[in-house]
């Protein structure tokens, strides 16, 4: 069973474009949701947490639909530096601690000039 | 910004040898983790550690693997007898008690088993 599924891409977009990534998760008990970015052969870095009401951080907007078990990430006004793999991450849903995280395989984004 | 430090950055070892991967988590974090990522695949959970004991481990974390926090700062992952399929990036991570802000990952150790 795949806990977290993402469209692997690749997405190739010009600078300034808006791009959206989607993710679905299988565990309805999951409580914490994140988007991480990973540059080639580097560690995952937290981009943003995803809250039920949706949240925005500059050019990045994340949405969560618990009923559909669906998470999205929207990047507006893409920059060359946004080129990376975007990882959808969900926790195992145990108790109040973060617990085990499940990672999607990632969606690769390339922004070209 | 506080960071998780991992050493070595790259380790090459012969099949059957023991390796120890080292990590220094962020000082006020209480939860520690090891993850691995085989080239081209997703990041996979190995083990979580809290209050000086394993709190959860995955099916990957078999008897060949062990973790230890030998002092107040280091957190180690030992692989007793390495196999070719253990070749991967190994990431250490730590989190605050509430965990609401996700984990902070170290820069990883690339383990190559030959």
């Amino acid at each position: 069973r795949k806990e977290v599924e993402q469209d692997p891409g690749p997405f190739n977009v010009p600078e300034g474009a808006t791009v959206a990534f989607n993710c679905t998760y299988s565990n309805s008990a999951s409580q914490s949701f994140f988007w991480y970015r990973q540059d080639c052969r580097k560690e995952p870095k937290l981009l943003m947490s995803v809250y039920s009401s949706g949240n925005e951080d500059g050019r990045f907007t994340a949405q969560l639909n618990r009923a559909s078990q669906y998470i999205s990430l929207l990047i507006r006004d893409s920059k060359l530096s946004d080129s990376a793999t975007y990882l959808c991450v969900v926790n195992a849903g145990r108790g109040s601690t973060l617990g085990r995280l499940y990672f999607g395989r990632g969606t690769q984004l390339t922004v070209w000039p | 910004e506080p960071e998780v430090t991992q050493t070595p950055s790259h380790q090459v070892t012969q099949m059957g040898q023991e390796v120890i991967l080292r990590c220094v988590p962020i000082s006020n974090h209480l939860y520690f983790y090891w993850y691995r990522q085989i080239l081209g695949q997703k990041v996979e959970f190995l083990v979580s550690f809290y209050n000086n004991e394993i709190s959860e481990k995955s099916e990957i974390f078999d008897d060949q693997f062990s973790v230890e926090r030998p002092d107040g700062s280091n957190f180690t992952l030992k692989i007793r007898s390495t196999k070719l399929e253990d070749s991967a990036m190994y990431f250490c991570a730590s989190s605050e008690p509430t965990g609401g802000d996700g984990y902070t990952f170290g820069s990883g150790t690339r383990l190559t088993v030959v």
Side-chain angles (χ1 to χ4, degrees):
Chain A
R1 179 178 75 168
K2 292 185 179 177
E3 299 285 344
V4 181
E5 294 208 49
Q6 292 181 251
D7 180 348
F11 285 65
N12 297 302
V13 302
E15 266 187 297
T18 296
V19 61
F21 305 138
N22 304 316
C23 163
T24 57
Y25 61 95
S26 61
N27 185 357
S28 59
S30 295
Q31 298 169 356
S32 299
F33 310 90
F34 309 93
W35 283 101
Y36 278 75
R37 72 170 274 168
Q38 186 175 31
D39 294 289
C40 188
R41 302 199 169 206
K42 301 280 192 179
E43 75 273 23
K45 290 189 176 175
L46 180 66
L47 180 65
M48 58 196 304
S49 300
V50 187
Y51 304 117
S52 296
S53 53
N55 48 300
E56 188 174 306
D57 183 3
R59 298 181 293 108
F60 300 86
T61 301
Q63 297 278 353
L64 168 65
N65 184 323
R66 284 187 185 269
S68 303
Q69 294 178 205
Y70 172 94
I71 306 164
S72 66
L73 176 69
L74 184 77
I75 305 175
R76 289 183 300 278
D77 189 24
S78 301
K79 311 289 185 196
L80 296 177
S81 57
D82 293 334
S83 297
T85 297
Y86 289 83
L87 309 176
C88 179
V89 183
V90 174
N91 85 331
R94 286 187 184 78
S96 61
T97 60
L98 192 58
R100 173 176 183 168
L101 293 180
Y102 290 95
F103 284 74
R105 294 195 64 158
T107 299
Q108 188 179 340
L109 172 67
T110 301
V111 182
W112 45 273
Chain B
E1 187 176 318
E3 50 180 40
V4 175
T5 305
Q6 287 187 245
T7 54
S9 57
H10 190 189
Q11 172 121 24
V12 180
T13 189
Q14 287 199 319
M15 194 167 53
Q17 295 296 303
E18 174 184 286
V19 294
I20 297 177
L21 310 183
R22 303 180 191 279
C23 169
V24 179
I26 293 173
S27 60
N28 66 332
H29 285 184
L30 298 179
Y31 296 87
F32 314 116
Y33 313 86
W34 284 99
Y35 283 75
R36 78 171 188 190
Q37 186 175 31
I38 294 170
L39 188 63
Q41 298 190 22
K42 64 182 179 182
V43 177
E44 300 174 290
F45 171 81
L46 291 177
V47 66
S48 58
F49 191 87
Y50 170 70
N51 201 26
N52 285 318
E53 60 183 23
I54 290 174
S55 50
E56 186 177 1
K57 58 185 180 179
S58 73
E59 53 283 356
I60 302 169
F61 195 89
D62 61 21
D63 292 344
Q64 293 300 312
F65 290 88
S66 61
V67 288
E68 196 175 40
R69 189 158 161 79
D71 53 44
S73 59
N74 290 287
F75 179 51
T76 62
L77 174 70
K78 182 193 290 186
I79 309 175
R80 259 179 277 279
S81 177
T82 50
K83 307 182 186 69
L84 294 177
E85 55 265 36
D86 294 328
S87 296
M89 278 290 283
Y90 287 81
F91 294 110
C92 174
S94 65
S95 70
E96 294 179 341
T98 59
D101 291 329
Y103 296 175
T104 301
F105 283 84
S107 56
T109 293
R110 179 172 302 283
L111 177 65
T112 303
V113 182
V114 297

